[in-house]
Structure formats: C-alpha cells, structure tokens
Amino acid sequence: MAIEDVIVVSVPVSDQAQAKAFYVDKLGFELLGEDDSIPGLHWIRVGPKGGGTSLTLVTWFESMPAGSLQGLVLRSSDLKADYEAFIERGVPFDGPPEPQPWASLEAVARDPDGNGLVLQQA
C-alpha cells in the first residue's frame, strides 16, 4: 500500500483562539504552526509532543460544524495521572477513567465545542 501514515486530522471548532488555548494550555500539546497566508483562513496546527499526527483547528468546513468530531482516540502512558492533571486544568470529562475490553483504561474528554476526545491507556 502506498499510504504510509495519518499526518493531520481536522478538528471543527467555533473559536480558534479558544481551541488553541485548550489544546496547548490544558492538554499540553505543542503549537506546531500558524499561518495566515491564505486570505480568510487562519491555519492552526497542534500536536502532542513527539507525536506523528497533528490536529488542525478549523472553522471553514460547512460540512463539519463545531463539536461534530467524536471518537478521536489519544493514547496516554498514564491515564490516571493525565486525568487528574486535566481535571485540575478544567478539562471536562464524561466520567473518570474506566477499564474497557479494548483498553486497560479509557475516559472521554470534551474540548470547548464538545468534540469528543477518547483518552486510552493500553
């Protein structure tokens, strides 16, 4: 197969500045780039430190309303510690980490628009 990797996932948001603050300040992602070179589009790209896939915080896809992304899975090496740190930073969760048949622990967090972020520990 010629496809090698997933490099970018678009996350639909209503306010890019608010979303950037959430992903960078609350989740600890790195700001990987910002670009205003295309008139009318502000490109913001964030990602976990050392990760291979990044997220773009987008407002321009009519078919992707803010908050419509569900089930984006993020891996954690210590979900209990991450959960506690994220709760202290004000990250909302649907509930605490729970064991699942497919993961030792899993919890669902919500960004400011309600996009669902599934945090898993293998």
Side-chain angles (χ1 to χ4, degrees), residues 24-103:
V24 172
D25 299 337
K26 294 187 184 251
L27 293 186
F29 283 21
E30 291 182 301
L31 177 62
L32 301 173
E34 281 194 71
D35 185 355
D36 285 321
S37 63
I38 300 172
L41 294 180
H42 183 72
W43 184 270
I44 298 175
R45 192 167 57 93
V46 298
K49 292 179 174 137
T53 302
S54 62
L55 307 178
T56 57
L57 308 175
V58 300
T59 58
W60 53 83
F61 292 120
E62 288 183 26
S63 63
M64 293 175 64
S68 64
L69 181 68
Q70 302 300 317
L72 178 64
V73 180
L74 307 173
R75 182 174 48 223
S76 169
S77 61
D78 187 347
L79 185 50
K80 286 182 181 180
D82 282 343
Y83 174 80
E84 293 301 325
F86 294 156
I87 288 290
E88 287 180 19
R89 294 181 201 150
V91 175
F93 280 83
D94 291 356
E98 297 287 338
Q100 299 297 335
W102 53 87

Side-chain angles (χ1 to χ4, degrees), residues 73 98-108 118-122:
V73 180
E98 297 287 338
Q100 299 297 335
W102 53 87
S104 65
L105 287 175
E106 179 177 282
V108 177
V118 180
L119 282 70
Q120 285 185 352
Q121 181 176 320

